[in-house]
């Protein structure tokens, strides 16, 4: 009950003063400004049309990131405030809200960036923000959506829209922030040249290598679910097998990972259900042209068995959402620690010891909200989008019902799409298309706030 009141007792932001603060600061000031749509090239070059990394560019980058992030997060706060009270006051959503408010306040009050040292300190500050409780926003967002679906607090279509929207904004914010961290690190280590698109965040990815890795991962999960020596389907990569292209490694890994998990699982279930001699092969066809890259993942696993109108929805049906939520609570590393415990508790939590300070767990002890463990991500090194990769590590036993919905958001973000063609009784083709980023560098990609 402690966490369900209108003003959580430990909250720094959601308290009776919040309303007035909100009016004078957020509404009257920041919401009047619009975010700047940015293209990837602009982000990489900071408007001086060159790839040279200069002191001025690093400083300008810092100034831009600080100003831009405050405005972007302000608009998301506003969007959350417009939700029905029961929704934004949901245990998980309130964590996200509080964390966004925390970002808003911290960035807003951050001193003006004037020198290279300022910009460099600012990069460290952003890194610490990303490594902190914000890593839990992704699971909290999804769990919040599941709970609201289960409780009928918000129509499913609108919830899907809200989530996709918040996720897209999250991708854009992270790109903006990561770019500053990346070019600052490059500049201070003596590098004077930035690549055309976003320093180190984007990399040349070998399509076949990523496919084989995702397939190996999926096989491990299959062995874990059945037994070690279970026969595996043949995995064949055809078409443009030599393809390499610039992309965000974590996003590519996540997309192929989720899709192949589904394919492998369906193939193995079909093999067992039909008592086949061996599992049917999985064939991936890679095709590319100037505009985009396409992966067609074909299986002969009997197609989608039941008509599921909620296939692309987060959490699917109410019943599925309940199962998924239960599974979320079982996921190691992606637990439901409350931001209040971490940010506002007085206990000396040492990041080195993984044990949980007993006091901080008190409000959730013996409830479904009891945390599993402290996130490994807090102790580990920050890599771009760690929370996303953490999601991929879940066992097949823990279905979350979010795979296709998440992949659609990410594929569409990168000017692509995801579709599924099921032939009941035969098999399924999943088609993932990703835009060629080098073709779209002038596109105002990061306007998706
Ligand atoms: N290749 C496939 N063959 C048959 N059914 C499939 C295939 N791909 C997806 N499906 C069906 O689509 C459903 C939705 O997939 P989705 O990845 O969105 O969620 P999930 O796999 O159930 O849960 P998770 O969030 O853990 O991925 C699956 O439950 C499965 O029934
Ligand atoms: Mg799935």
């Amino acid at each position: 009950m402690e966490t369900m009141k209108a003003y959580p007792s430990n909250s720094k932001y959601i308290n009776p003063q919040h309303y007035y603060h909100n009016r004078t600061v957020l509404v009257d000031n920041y919401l009047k400004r619009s975010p700047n749509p940015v293209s990837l090239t602009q982000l990489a070059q900071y408007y001086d049309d060159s790839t040279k990394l200069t002191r001025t560019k690093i400083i300008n980058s810092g100034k831009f990131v600080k100003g831009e992030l405050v405005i972007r997060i302000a608009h998301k706060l506003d969007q959350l405030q417009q939700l029905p009270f029961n929704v934004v006051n949901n245990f998980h959503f309130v964590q996200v809200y509080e964390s966004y408010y925390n970002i808003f306040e911290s960035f807003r009050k951050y001193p003006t960036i004037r020198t290279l040292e300022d910009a460099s300190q600012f990069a460290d500050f952003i890194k610490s923000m990303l490594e902190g409780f914000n890593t839990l926003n992704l699971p909290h967002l999804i769990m919040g959506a599941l709970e609201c679906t289960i409780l009928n607090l918000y129509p499913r279509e609108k919830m899907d829209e809200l989530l996709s929207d918040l996720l897209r904004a999250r991708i854009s914010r992270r790109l903006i922030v990561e770019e500053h961290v990346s070019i600052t690190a490059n500049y201070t280590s003596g590098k004077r040249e930035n690549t055309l698109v976003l320093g180190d965040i984007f990399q040349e990815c070998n399509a076949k290598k990523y496919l084989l890795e995702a397939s190996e991962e999926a096989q491990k999960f299959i062995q874990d679910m059945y037994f070690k020596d279970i026969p595996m389907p043949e995995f064949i990569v055809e078409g443009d097998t030599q393809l390499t292209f610039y992309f965000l490694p974590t996003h590519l890994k996540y997309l192929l990972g989720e899709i192949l998990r589904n394919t492998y699982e369906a193939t193995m279930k079909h093999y067992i259900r039909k008592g086949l001699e061996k599992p049917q092969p999985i064939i991936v066809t890679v095709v590319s042209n100037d505009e985009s890259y396409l992966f067609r993942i074909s299986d002969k696993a009997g197609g989608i068995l039941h008509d599921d109108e909620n296939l692309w929805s987060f959490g699917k049906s109410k019943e599925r959402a309940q199962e998924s939520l239960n599974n979320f609570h079982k996921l190691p590393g992606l637990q439901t620690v409350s931001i209040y415990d971490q940010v506002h508790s007085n206990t000396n939590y040492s990041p080195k010891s993984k044990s949980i300070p007993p006091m901080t767990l008190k409000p959730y002890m013996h409830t479904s909200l009891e945390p599993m463990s402290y996130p490994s991500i807090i102790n580990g090194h920050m890599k771009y989008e760690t929370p996303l990769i953490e999601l991929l590590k879940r066992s097949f036993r823990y279905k979350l019902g979010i795979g296709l919905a998440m992949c659609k958001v990410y594929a569409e973000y990168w000017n692509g799409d995801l579709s599924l063609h099921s032939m009941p009784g035969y098999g399924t083709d999943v088609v993932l298309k990703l835009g060629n980023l080098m073709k779209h560098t002038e596109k105002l990609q990061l306007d998706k706030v």
Side-chain angles (χ1 to χ4, degrees), residues 230-334:
I230 191 163
M232 285 294 167
E234 202 180 341
F235 186 76
I236 303 159
V237 183
E238 294 180 346
D240 192 353
T241 53
Q242 302 301 313
L243 175 71
T244 59
F245 61 109
Y246 265 97
F247 207 72
L248 262 165
T250 39
H251 285 193
L252 186 60
K253 194 173 165 182
Y254 178 73
L255 285 161
L256 296 175
E258 283 287 354
I259 296 168
L260 283 181
R261 282 168 71 105
N262 284 347
T263 309
Y264 267 90
E265 189 177 358
T267 299
M268 298 311 286
K269 283 193 172 148
H270 184 73
Y271 156 69
I272 292 165
R273 194 170 43 233
K274 295 278 170 189
L276 302 177
E277 206 174 303
K278 55 182 203 285
Q280 297 281 8
I282 295 169
I283 302 173
V284 184
T285 314
V286 184
V287 185
S288 68
N289 66 9
D290 262 11
E291 287 289 315
S292 37
Y293 313 106
L294 191 137
F295 300 82
R296 184 185 64 205
I297 297 119
S298 313
D299 65 52
K300 293 183 195 166
I304 293 194
L305 297 178
H306 312 285
D307 247 1
D308 189 355
E309 46 159 331
N310 304 322
L311 202 64
W312 298 97
S313 174
F314 286 92
K316 324 278 188 244
S317 64
K318 241 171 100 166
E319 297 70 36
R320 282 289 310 272
Q322 182 64 63
E323 282 169 40
S324 302
L325 190 66
N326 294 342
N327 286 335
F328 248 114
H329 288 297
K330 290 179 200 150
L331 289 187
L334 274 184

Side-chain angles (χ1 to χ4, degrees), residues 70-134:
V70 181
I71 296 170
R72 286 180 182 237
I73 209 83
H75 283 272
K76 291 298 122 184
L77 279 170
D78 181 48
Q79 199 176 352
L80 290 172
Q81 287 177 2
Q82 304 307 321
L83 294 170
F85 180 71
N86 272 348
V87 175
V88 70
N89 201 41
N90 164 275
F91 174 79
H92 297 291
F93 274 139
V94 98
Q95 311 286 316
V96 176
Y97 182 81
E98 174 113 6
S99 153
Y100 281 12
Y101 224 104
N102 182 24
I103 298 173
F104 175 67
E105 287 293 273
S106 319
F107 275 75
R108 188 171 74 79
K109 292 178 182 160
Y110 196 90
T112 310
I113 294 157
R114 292 199 178 85
T115 64
L116 183 65
E117 289 64 45
D118 292 346
S120 172
Q121 270 173 18
F122 181 59
D124 291 339
F125 164 74
I126 310 178
K127 264 204 305 211
S128 70
M129 293 287 282
L130 281 179
E131 282 165 358
F133 246 83
N134 299 312

